[in-house]
Amino acid sequence: MATGAGKSATDQATTADLEADIEQLKADIRNLTEQLAKTGQHGYGAARRVAADSVEQLRAQGEAALESVRGSAEDIEAQLIAKVREKPVTSLAVAAGVGFLFALLSRR
């Protein structure tokens, strides 16, 4: 009977050890889950900041390009006005010729 009592005490100790190990694993899993959640939030926040910075930089570049195009268009317009004032008859003839070509192309 001492052998039966010895096995029972050993079984209880083994069961207690297993339960303690299971509880430790559960705690480790909870900690790991929390750390992964924090890391995910940090990664998401960093990616969002990078994307916002990139959007701002692209917007600034777009505005600069638009201003450059506006400046070029204004220069071309000024040159065109100067040419028309310098040679009005020639400008009228060129405009009529271009209009005639557009009319021919639009018929087809």
Side-chain angles (χ1 to χ4, degrees):
M1 285 210 165
T3 316
K7 283 187 179 180
S8 178
T10 306
D11 288 344
Q12 289 176 354
T14 304
T15 303
D17 289 342
L18 287 175
E19 288 176 357
D21 288 345
I22 290 172
E23 289 302 317
Q24 183 61 42
L25 283 173
K26 286 180 182 180
D28 289 345
I29 290 173
R30 273 194 305 273
N31 290 337
L32 184 59
T33 303
E34 290 172 2
Q35 287 177 351
L36 287 174
K38 289 177 185 176
T39 302
Q41 290 173 353
H42 175 65
Y44 172 74
R48 188 173 178 182
R49 282 190 301 277
V50 168
D53 291 345
S54 296
V55 166
E56 183 62 29
Q57 184 179 16
L58 288 174
R59 185 187 64 76
Q61 288 175 352
E63 287 178 356
L66 183 61
E67 286 300 318
S68 175
V69 168
R70 277 188 188 147
S72 297
E74 289 172 356
D75 290 344
I76 292 171
E77 181 184 10
Q79 290 175 359
L80 184 63
I81 289 172
K83 289 289 182 184
V84 168
R85 285 187 181 157
E86 187 179 308
K87 299 181 181 182
V89 177
T90 305
S91 299
L92 183 62
V94 169
V98 170
F100 181 72
L101 287 175
F102 278 133
L104 284 177
L105 291 174
S106 67
R107 281 185 167 183
R108 294 180 182 187

